[in-house]
Each structure stands twice: as C-alpha cells, then as structure tokens.
Amino acid sequence: MTMWNRGLLAGLVASGLVVACGASGGGGNTPADAGNTTDRGGTGPDGSTMDGGTNPDGGSMDASGDRGPTRDRGPTTDRGNTNPDDPCAAPIDLSSMTPDSTGTITYEGDNKSGALVTLGNLPASCLPSMGTKASVVAFRYTMRAAGILRVSTDNEGTDFDTVVAVLGTCSETAAPLACNDDVAQGNLQSTATTGMLMAGQTVYIAVGGWGRDEESAATGGFELTVQETVPGAMGSPCRVGDAGPACDSGLRCTVAAPTTAMPGVCLTPVAVGMPCTATTICVEGASCVANPGSTTMGTCRTDGTSGGLCRPSSAMTVCDTGLACFRPPGATMNGLCRPAVMVGAACDATGQMNACADSYCRPTPTMADPSSATCLALGVQGGYCRTDSPRCDTGFECSGTSPTSTCRAVAMAGAACDPANLRTVCASGTSCAVSTPGAVEGTCAAAGTAAGTPCRVGDAGMPCDAGLTCSAAMPTMAAPGTCRAMVAAGGACDTAGRATACATGSVCLGASAAGTCTAPIMEMEPNTQAMPQALSGNSVISASLMPGTDVDCFSIAVPMGGSIRAETSDGMGGCPGETAEGDPDTIINIYAAGGTMPIASNDDRGDLCSLVNPDTTAAARNLAAGTYTVCVSSYSSMMTPAVAIPAYTLTVAVRAP
C-alpha cells in the first residue's frame, strides 16, 4: 500500500513524500546511538552455558553490533543441531510443537553455535548486497494441511541481522521455496512466505546471520514464528492465477494484480475518511493520502476527488469537475486532485492549494515577489519543453532532454537574466551576476567582472576584478570557481556562496537564498537524537564527529507551515579536508518530534557535504508545528567505515510560512 503526501512535486519519490516499504541489503547500517543488548549468554556444543562478552555498562556484544535492548527471554532450550559442520544432521522438528490459538508455532533460540555454511542456494533476489548467510540453525516442519507457510524472525526476541529460507530438502544446494533477508529498509529481520504446499509435505527452515563471509556472519538470539495460512484469508497472501477473487469476501488485496513474486496480502479495507497507514488498504476506488506534516499516518480519500489521488491518465476523467491533477510532466499517475487554475493565472508551486489545468505551475519570481509562480503551457518561456518538435516556441531553446527541462531565451552581455536559468541563459562567455544576495534578477556579465561570474582562467591578470575574490585557489577550465564579494560579520550574503564569501569567523546563515554572515556557536555533548542540543533559533554550529557511531543532533522549533534548511560545510563553502582516516563524508537526517524515521535527509549535496534545502526538498517545507531534530553523522557502509570528522560547520535555519 502506498501513501501519497499532500504536496506532490516533480520527482515525487526523491522528494521524500512517498511512504512505502522497501527492501535493503543485509549489510545496511544499524541505527546510530542504539543501546546495548542485555547479556544473553550462549549455548556451547555440549549444552553448557557460555557468557557473552560485555560492554562497560554490562550489555553484551555480538557480531551484529550494539542493537538496542531486548526483553529478558530467559534460558534457551537445547537446540539439538549444534554440529558446526552439518546443520542437517539433526534438524529441530517444529511439527511436534503445539500451535497457539492463531495457529502459530513460536521457537526461541540462538545461532551462536550454528553451522558455518550457507544452507540453500539462495539467489541475489533474496540475499542482496553480495552477502552470505552462515551460523545456520536448521528446522524440519511437516504441513498439517494444504496451504502456504509463513516463517519469520521479525519478532521481539530477535536481536541480530537474520536471513531465513524455506527449502524442499536440507542441503547447501537446495533451491529455496521462499527466502528473505530484510523485511524493509531499516528492519534487518526476515519474513518468507512460500507458495502452495501439500498436506503432509515436509520442508526445512534455515535461520542464519547475514555477513560478508561465513566467518563474519551475525549471531544472537532469535524468535522464530511458523504459521500455516490459506491464500485469500485475512492476513494471508492473495490468491494468484485463480479465476476467482484474490481474497475472501469482505477483504481486499494490497496489490492490484497479485503475482507469485508479489502476491500481496488480504486485508479488511479501510473506509473513506478513516485513518490509514502504508501497511493498510483502502476500499476500492480510494487511496491513502498522507496527513499534513506526517510521513506515517494518512486518510483514505476517494480517487479523483479534491485531495484524492488522480486517476490514471487513461481514465475518462482524471479528476472530478472543477479539479486538476498536480503531477510532473510525463507522469501518468500518482498526482493529487486540487482546485483547477487556468493558464496564465497565479498558482501554488507546492500543489497544496491548487493545480494548473492543461499546464504546469512554474516559478516566475520577481524582486517584489520572489515566490511567485504561474500556470505556463508547454513550450513558452519558463515552461517545460514539449516532448515533440518544436520543443519550444520560436525564439526560445530547451535547456536539456529531461521531462523537466525548460524553455529559455538567450540573453546577451548586459541584458537581464534570472540566476536560476529557468527563463533565460546568458550567451557564451557570460553568466548571470547579481548585485544583491538572494536576488532573483541579474545581469549577464563576462567572467571575472562581477560577483557570481566564473573566475578568469589562463589570464595573465587576476582571476577576478578588484574587490572580488575567487572561490577556487587555482582556477581551471573544468573548475573555474566563482568571483565573490567579501562580506563582514553581520552583512548580507547568499547561502549558496555564489556571489559572496563571509569574512573569517562567520558563516552565511539563512533559510532561503539570502542570509546573514553569522558567528558559530560550539557543539555541546552529549547531543544524541534522544538528548539533542536545543537551539534558540537559526544557528551556525561548530562541531566534530568521533570515530564510530557518534551522531550530533540539534533541536529547533518550527511554526505551522514553516520550513527547515540544514547544511554542513567547512565554514567557507567547501567541505572539511581529508584526514588520515579518509575523506570526511556527512549525512543529515531531520526527524519530527518522537519520530524514528527521518522526514528528510541528504548524503551529498554535489560533494561530500550535505544539504537539505526546502526549495528543492518538499519534505522539509510546509511542516506541522513542533520541535524538529537535525542530526549529522559520518557516512558508513560495510565497505566504508565511518571516519572521524575533527571539525565541520552546520547551519540550521527555519523559514516562516
């Protein structure tokens, strides 16, 4: 089930407005600053108890890392198959266990003495990220009736990165009947569902830990649940390839056309006007649309109605009378129906208030109204290019080949231009220079002659005229840098650093294109997501990241409809320099109050620093009132460990609606 946000812009998925479950590689990062697991101990090959290693605070550590607290599960039962060479020598028989009232069998154990083999020939589709599964524990199960078997470690008692597989035979070469690595992005537990099995059919279940190789596979405690289900029943996979309905009466499948690879789940549909989430399904003809300011909760709205999902372009009526669909050019679905606005009229660029009929809402900023937007037809100046020829009206040229390329006029030296290059493009040898930071209008000028123009390259003279400084220490044709005016602390500046450079000891701070050169404050530890450093307002912070899982978090109040801009840098527009450990590489995540998943994030802004800009990231603007937390961490992966960042600068600014 997919939930769509109220503010749908071009690049819907990239904007962070779509809430959906996705799969990730088994080697994904664990959440930063997670708590220690409780001392779980282990079971030796002879059944004796082995104490796990402990952290200084008494929590145990295992190959999966510091994963957070788990409930006290008590001693595990004798697992039986502790043979480190052959997990199939004595697989644990789950069929002898009594299922609960839901028909579920639950087994708690661990894989600390599991076999160092990869049981089952698992394809990359269910074991991604070039990983393997080892430290395996094997089980045997016999079907009580014909149906589908669902096995899962996605339970409270599992505390490591698992992989599960259901096999027809117990061998390393057996093709899986079903297998899974991660349930979803950020969830390292596993759930696998088979196709139809016969009554009395015996299958084998393998539970292992993910790793780059067999020796590094994760270990820990797991809670395995096994349940037989019948296709089409409540909570069961939908029927596939059946002439009848995909689900029993009163239920609806979560996918429109269930397949063996993606059967969906049969659920009771949610009525129009009722709350919904990404894991529910609305009644037929309705979709779950995210509530304002939320990335998890929504409301079922009838497709084609105001605030509802647009019907596919193939439908006779995409939106009801008086409404228009707000979606990017070339898209055939996944827009929102809003009150219609005609060509040439002012429009809401976020799509919250209205949508353009037979045209698209495009920025048309002026000095008097920098946020102005107008409904423009295809091919006109500032509008999107047509997909066929001529792509633009006479006198204009298309900026590129993508669906969001725009038609622009070529401006000669000395002529007016727009710095964003949406409506104009300066002639060769010139670029759009602005005299005021954040200005939306400028003048085409030659390189080196004005703030905002490229520096001169290969000239015997200076790269920039007097009073200007080049952003590049050694300008080249490939990287000429930009001529910038020096601004003292307290002076006006542009946050992009294209036309100005703040004097040493200050950084440009602002929530939009224009800002003020501001002196930084110092980071105060501890500043975790649970205990962020509170900011009294827009701030520049001088901070550092220690090696490992250090995360710097800062909280700031946002008014209803406000936006957040956050950026890391070296304080001079560039990125922190290389250290002995490697290149510093930051990630910014922004969380709503009490949220565990970020509402907006950015890894690279074009270099190894990070930028969440509300002008380009829809999820960072038009927020619900509340306190938000901005967190910075050092990028890491299985192949690239996080490096220490001795010094970096973070700017956090809130823009009022």
Side-chain angles (χ1 to χ4, degrees):
M1 179 60 192
T2 304
M3 181 163 63
W4 303 102
N5 199 291
R6 56 196 167 77
L8 191 66
L9 300 179
L12 288 164
V13 174
S15 72
L17 297 185
V18 178
V19 180
C21 292
S24 68
N29 298 332
T30 56
D33 288 342
N36 296 318
T37 60
T38 55
D39 188 357
R40 302 176 55 85
T43 304
D46 59 358
S48 60
T49 301
M50 300 185 299
D51 288 335
T54 57
N55 286 319
D57 62 358
S60 67
M61 299 181 294
D62 57 39
S64 64
D66 195 4
R67 299 293 301 268
T70 62
R71 62 191 176 109
D72 183 7
R73 299 166 56 251
T76 60
T77 59
D78 184 2
R79 298 189 299 109
N81 59 343
T82 56
N83 188 330
D85 300 317
D86 184 8
C88 298
I92 302 168
D93 189 1
L94 297 176
S95 304
S96 61
M97 298 180 64
T98 303
D100 62 18
S101 59
T102 66
T104 302
I105 290 174
T106 301
Y107 178 91
E108 294 190 0
D110 64 68
N111 71 329
K112 295 179 181 179
S113 299
L116 296 180
V117 296
T118 300
L119 188 58
N121 184 17
L122 308 187
S125 59
C126 70
L127 189 61
S129 300
M130 298 176 64
T132 188
K133 172 176 68 68
S135 294
V136 173
V137 180
F139 301 87
R140 181 175 60 248
Y141 182 80
T142 301
M143 295 291 292
R144 300 187 301 275
I148 288 172
L149 188 66
R150 179 184 183 274
V151 299
S152 179
T153 59
D154 187 20
N155 302 302
E156 182 181 357
T158 305
D159 61 10
F160 68 102
D161 188 351
T162 61
V163 182
V164 299
V166 181
L167 311 172
T169 60
C170 195
S171 70
E172 294 185 37
T173 59
L177 302 174
C179 58
N180 177 248
D181 176 16
D182 295 339
V183 172
Q185 178 72 35
N187 186 340
L188 302 181
Q189 312 315 329
S190 312
T191 299
T193 304
T194 70
M196 281 295 295
L197 301 176
M198 297 181 296
Q201 182 175 351
T202 297
V203 296
Y204 296 86
I205 302 166
V207 177
W210 189 94
R212 284 292 172 190
D213 49 50
E214 293 176 354
E215 286 71 22
S216 67
T219 59
F222 63 84
E223 180 180 341
L224 175 68
T225 53
V226 178
Q227 183 183 37
E228 293 184 25
T229 59
V230 178
M234 175 62 184
S236 299
C238 309
R239 299 186 187 95
V240 178
D242 195 315
C247 299
D248 291 347
S249 177
L251 304 178
R252 190 180 177 208
C253 187
T254 55
V255 298
T259 63
T260 302
M262 187 177 292
V265 179
C266 291
L267 299 174
T268 301
V270 178
V272 172
M274 298 302 293
C276 55
T277 68
T279 59
T280 57
I281 182 76
C282 298
V283 294
E284 188 171 0
S287 301
C288 191
V289 179
N291 295 331
S294 174
T295 58
T296 58
M297 293 300 299
T299 301
C300 284
R301 300 182 183 277
T302 303
D303 297 342
T305 62
S306 182
L309 206 64
C310 304
R311 303 183 186 101
S313 294
S314 57
M316 183 176 297
T317 305
V318 175
C319 295
D320 291 349
T321 303
L323 304 176
C325 184
F326 185 87
R327 59 185 170 196
T332 58
M333 58 183 300
N334 302 341
L336 292 176
C337 293
R338 300 295 191 192
V341 177
M342 298 299 104
V343 174
C347 56
D348 172 21
T350 67
Q352 296 179 68
M353 304 302 297
N354 52 50
C356 295
D358 301 319
S359 58
Y360 295 94
C361 191
R362 302 296 301 138
T364 52
T366 64
M367 292 300 290
D369 185 8
S371 62
S372 173
T374 305
C375 289
L376 299 179
L378 298 177
V380 303
Q381 184 181 12
Y384 291 122
C385 306
R386 301 185 186 95
T387 56
D388 54 357
S389 183
R391 301 202 67 192
C392 297
D393 291 349
T394 303
F396 307 120
E397 64 177 33
C398 187
S399 63
T401 59
S402 73
T404 55
S405 298
T406 58
C407 293
R408 307 179 300 184
V410 177
M412 299 295 106
C417 56
D418 70 295
N421 293 328
L422 295 176
R423 299 173 59 84
T424 62
V425 57
C426 291
S428 178
T430 65
S431 57
C432 194
V434 295
S435 58
T436 304
V440 297
E441 297 175 359
T443 304
C444 291
T449 61
T453 62
C455 307
R456 287 185 284 261
V457 178
D459 195 307
M462 299 296 291
C464 299
D465 287 354
L468 304 174
T469 181
C470 184
S471 62
M474 298 181 64
T476 64
M477 292 297 293
T482 306
C483 291
R484 303 185 297 182
M486 293 299 298
V487 178
C493 56
D494 70 297
T495 53
R498 295 190 182 96
T500 61
C502 291
T504 302
S506 62
V507 178
C508 191
L509 174 64
S512 56
T516 303
C517 290
T518 306
I521 62 175
M522 297 302 296
E523 165 194 25
M524 297 178 62
E525 295 279 7
N527 52 352
T528 63
Q529 185 180 347
M531 298 177 57
Q533 179 177 340
L535 303 177
S536 58
N538 295 352
S539 303
V540 180
I541 305 104
S542 180
S544 63
L545 287 167
M546 299 297 290
T549 59
D550 186 20
V551 178
D552 294 337
C553 295
F554 307 88
S555 62
I556 190 167
V558 178
M560 178 62 73
S563 307
I564 296 179
R565 185 184 191 278
E567 183 174 20
T568 59
S569 71
D570 61 359
M572 296 174 287
C575 281
E578 182 178 4
T579 68
E581 295 184 4
D583 286 320
D585 185 355
T586 61
I587 296 177
I588 291 177
N589 287 307
I590 300 179
Y591 300 86
T596 57
M597 297 295 292
I599 62 166
S601 61
N602 179 258
D603 179 6
D604 299 332
R605 62 180 186 183
D607 50 23
L608 296 181
C609 285
S610 309
L611 168 64
V612 175
N613 184 354
D615 294 330
T616 56
T617 304
R621 63 174 177 260
N622 301 310
L623 301 173
T627 298
Y628 290 76
T629 301
V630 179
C631 293
V632 180
S633 57
S634 180
Y635 172 82
S636 66
S637 68
M638 291 295 294
M639 303 299 293
T640 307
V643 303
I645 304 180
Y648 72 92
T649 298
L650 172 67
T651 59
V652 179
V654 171
R655 181 170 66 205

